[in-house]
Amino acid sequence: MKGCCKGPGWASPLEAFNTAERERLLYVVCTVKGAGSAAHDYLATIDVDPDSPTYSQVVGRSRAGSAEDELHHTGWNACSSCYTDAGESRRFLVCPSITTGAVNIFDVQADPRQPPLYKRVPGDVLLAQGRSFPHTVHCLDSKCVMISTMGDANGDNKGGFVLLDNKTFEFVGHWGDAELPFGYDFWYQPRQDFMVSSEWGSPNAFKGGFNPLHIEQGKYGTSLHVFKWSTKEKVQTLDLGAEGVMPLEVRFFHEPSETRGFVGCAASGNVFLIDRDQEGVWHAEKVIDLAPVPVSGWMLPELPSLITDLLISMDDRYLYVSDWSKGQLLQYDVTEPRVPRLTGKVCIGGVLAANPEVKVLHESSPPPAPPLVLHEKQVPGGPQMIQLSLDGRRLYVTTSLFAAWDRQIYPRLAQSGGDVVLVDVDLEAGGLAVNRAFHVDLSREPDGPAAAHEVRYPGGDCTSDIWL
C-alpha cells in the first residue's frame, strides 16, 4: 500500500512509527483565561528542532477570533483516515472554544509558523442545534469533521456529536440521534465498526470549578457509550460505577483491526481496559488503580490521582498516563493489556509540590517528590495533556486543564503562567527522564501569562490519526 496514495498521513501506524520525520514544530493551545486577561487565547507555534537557533521557543502566535473564546482541544480537517484520497490534505487545524462554542480554524499550510485564522464559526451555530461546550475533534473519511459536545443550549449536560464540512466548515448535521446524559471524548475504529464515547460532567457544574459534592449529586458521568459506526446506532452503555467517575480520554490501540483500548477515570484514579468479546458484548475491566493519599489542608481528606490524559505509542507497546494532581507521568508496557507493567515514571510538579499547606498524613505514604525546577523556574502545575513523537522517543507535556480548574487547583499556574516540558523516553528498556535542555516558559508572553493545553504536530500524531 505504501506509495500508492497521496492523501494525508501514513498507510499504517507502523509506517508512521518507523518512517515519519522528526517533529520540528509543535502547535500548542494557550489560554490566558486563568489569569483573567482580556486578551485572546492563541495557538502557539513552538520550535522543537534541536538544530534551530530558536529551539524551545515560541516562534508564532495565532490568536482566536474572539477574546471570549477559551481554546481547549483541537483536531485536523483530514488525517490518515483520508490517506487514500489524493484530494485531501492536512491543511486546517480545528480549534473549538469550550466555553463559547465557537470553532476557530487555522490554516497551517498558508504559514506553518504563524497559521492565519481562516474562519471562525460562531457559537450560535451550535446553539441553534441545541448543542454547546464542544470538545474532541476527529476527521472522518467522509469529508467531514466530527466534534463531540457536552451541553445543551442552556449549558446543562447533554452529550452529542456534530458534523462540519472539512473545507467550508458549514454545519452538515448531527452524527447519530442517541440521547446521551453526558459527553466528552470519543474514538472510532471503522475497520471493526465501532465508536466509544466518554463522559465528563454537566457544563454548568464544571465551568465554575471542581465541587466534590457535584459527584454525589450526579453531575459527573461514570459511563462509556458504544456505537455501531456504520449505522450510528448506540448499542451498549458500560456503567463503570464509583470506580469510574469522570471517564475522560479514550484511546484504542492504533492497529485498525484492534478492539482493545483504555479510558482514564479522572476522579477515581483508575484506568479501565475496554474490549469486545466473541459474542460482540463489550466489557470494561479495571487494570490500573492509583490510590489516593491521605492529606490535610486540601479540599478533600484524600488527594486523588486526577488522571486527565493518556495515550498509546504508535507501535502499541506503551501506555502513558498523566496524573495531574499528584504530578506523576507514568509509562506502562501494555504488551499484555490486562496486566500493564509500570516501566517508567517522572514527577512534574503536583499539588504537594505547589502548595506547602497540603501535607501528607500517613508515614506509610510515599514522600512527595521535590518541585521540578527548569531554567530557574519552578513548574507550578502538574502533567496534564501529553503528546508523543511518532517514533515514541519524545513526550511533550503541558500543565493546564481548564481555566476555572487551574485557578482552583493550581492558582500560581493560572496567575504566573504554565510550561511545556519535554520527557525523553527509553524505548528499549522502558523509562522516562525530564530533558532539562528544553523548557517553554509561558510566564512572559506578550499578552501576559498563558497556560498550555493540547499539543499537535503539523504532520499528525498519536491522538489525532485513525486508520480505516
Side-chain angles (χ1 to χ4, degrees):
M1 195 173 177
K2 184 178 179 180
C4 73
C5 308
K6 299 296 183 183
W10 300 268
S12 70
L14 284 180
E15 182 184 76
F17 178 76
N18 290 317
T19 69
E21 294 182 359
R22 177 177 174 140
E23 68 284 355
R24 300 188 183 279
L25 295 175
L26 301 183
Y27 295 130
V28 181
V29 167
C30 292
T31 180
V32 297
K33 300 296 182 290
S37 172
H40 291 225
D41 284 3
Y42 56 95
L43 184 70
T45 305
I46 297 173
D47 186 340
V48 292
D49 180 356
D51 296 325
S52 169
T54 54
Y55 177 64
S56 187
Q57 296 179 31
V58 178
V59 295
R61 298 170 184 85
S62 305
R63 288 168 174 79
S66 168
E68 301 299 317
D69 293 347
E70 180 173 345
L71 300 185
H72 192 65
H73 276 226
T74 66
W76 294 104
N77 70 304
C79 69
S80 292
S81 65
C82 307
Y83 178 75
T84 60
D85 188 343
E88 294 294 339
S89 66
R90 198 188 303 263
R91 176 182 173 185
F92 299 112
L93 191 58
V94 181
C95 305
S97 163
I98 189 173
T99 49
T100 66
V103 183
N104 292 266
I105 298 103
F106 297 96
D107 187 345
V108 303
Q109 289 184 3
D111 185 348
R113 288 194 161 222
Q114 187 81 40
L117 180 65
Y118 176 80
K119 184 174 184 178
R120 179 180 182 270
V121 180
D124 292 346
V125 172
L126 290 187
L127 288 176
Q129 303 299 323
R131 305 291 184 184
S132 65
F133 286 81
H135 192 267
T136 298
V137 181
H138 276 302
C139 61
L140 310 185
D141 69 332
S142 61
K143 301 186 185 301
C144 285
V145 170
M146 182 164 159
I147 305 175
S148 62
T149 57
M150 299 182 286
D152 64 12
N154 298 313
D156 292 321
N157 50 292
K158 180 181 181 180
F161 311 94
V162 296
L163 299 173
L164 304 182
D165 183 277
N166 76 345
K167 294 183 179 64
T168 67
F169 301 99
E170 297 295 322
F171 175 77
V172 172
H174 297 271
W175 189 95
D177 56 8
E179 291 291 327
L180 302 179
F182 298 98
Y184 187 71
D185 194 25
F186 69 99
W187 189 279
Y188 69 100
Q189 293 281 68
R191 189 175 300 182
Q192 290 293 335
D193 199 21
F194 71 83
M195 183 185 83
V196 175
S197 71
S198 63
E199 301 183 334
W200 185 6
S202 171
N204 282 335
F206 67 67
K207 71 180 183 181
F210 175 50
N211 182 346
L213 292 177
H214 287 162
I215 294 177
E216 300 175 16
Q217 296 167 357
K219 295 184 179 181
Y220 287 98
T222 61
S223 296
L224 302 174
H225 305 283
V226 184
F227 297 79
K228 186 176 178 64
W229 181 249
S230 59
T231 64
K232 307 175 185 177
E233 173 191 9
K234 184 165 77 74
V235 296
Q236 193 175 341
T237 292
L238 297 170
D239 187 353
L240 306 179
E243 296 266 48
V245 180
M246 292 188 218
L248 297 184
E249 308 299 336
V250 179
R251 311 293 189 211
F252 277 80
F253 285 108
H254 298 285
E255 163 53 46
S257 62
E258 271 282 1
T259 60
R260 296 173 297 181
F262 299 93
V263 62
C265 301
S268 305
N270 298 321
V271 175
F272 282 78
L273 173 69
I274 316 157
D275 197 5
R276 183 174 64 188
D277 65 24
Q278 293 182 347
E279 285 71 43
V281 179
W282 287 85
H283 304 273
E285 174 186 356
K286 185 177 71 171
V287 293
I288 297 172
D289 188 343
L290 303 179
V293 175
V295 294
S296 63
W298 204 58
M299 69 175 74
L300 292 168
E302 293 182 319
L303 179 65
S305 288
L306 288 174
I307 297 176
T308 52
D309 198 14
L310 45 77
L311 63 76
I312 300 173
S313 60
M314 199 60 85
D315 63 345
D316 288 340
R317 180 180 176 186
Y318 290 113
L319 172 71
Y320 295 89
V321 177
S322 63
D323 176 349
W324 190 53
S325 52
K326 288 189 193 168
Q328 304 179 103
L329 182 59
L330 307 167
Q331 178 198 52
Y332 293 89
D333 186 320
V334 288
T335 305
E336 296 291 338
R338 283 186 165 77
V339 191
R341 181 170 61 90
L342 182 64
T343 50
K345 172 183 173 179
V346 291
C347 293
I348 300 172
V351 168
L352 293 171
N355 188 345
E357 296 181 0
V358 182
K359 305 290 187 182
V360 176
L361 292 180
H362 290 185
E363 293 182 359
S364 59
S365 299
L372 176 63
V373 178
L374 294 174
H375 298 183
E376 300 183 351
K377 180 194 177 186
Q378 178 180 333
V379 175
Q384 210 288 300
M385 295 303 292
I386 51 179
Q387 191 55 261
L388 185 67
S389 61
L390 292 169
D391 65 4
R393 296 186 179 277
R394 294 164 302 283
L395 190 64
Y396 297 93
V397 185
T398 62
T399 56
S400 164
L401 190 149
F402 176 58
W405 289 41
D406 292 348
R407 285 192 294 267
Q408 180 183 16
I409 308 297
Y410 290 111
R412 195 158 63 86
L413 162 66
Q415 295 163 6
S416 63
D419 304 83
V420 183
V421 178
L422 174 59
V423 174
D424 293 326
V425 178
D426 184 337
L427 275 186
E428 288 70 31
L432 303 173
V434 173
N435 184 323
R436 295 183 175 274
F438 181 97
H439 178 224
V440 181
D441 176 5
L442 297 170
S443 65
R444 298 182 178 87
E445 285 292 276
D447 293 331
H453 193 61
E454 191 164 53
V455 178
R456 292 285 179 221
Y457 306 140
D461 50 64
C462 293
T463 57
S464 67
D465 280 40
I466 290 174
W467 280 263
L468 300 182

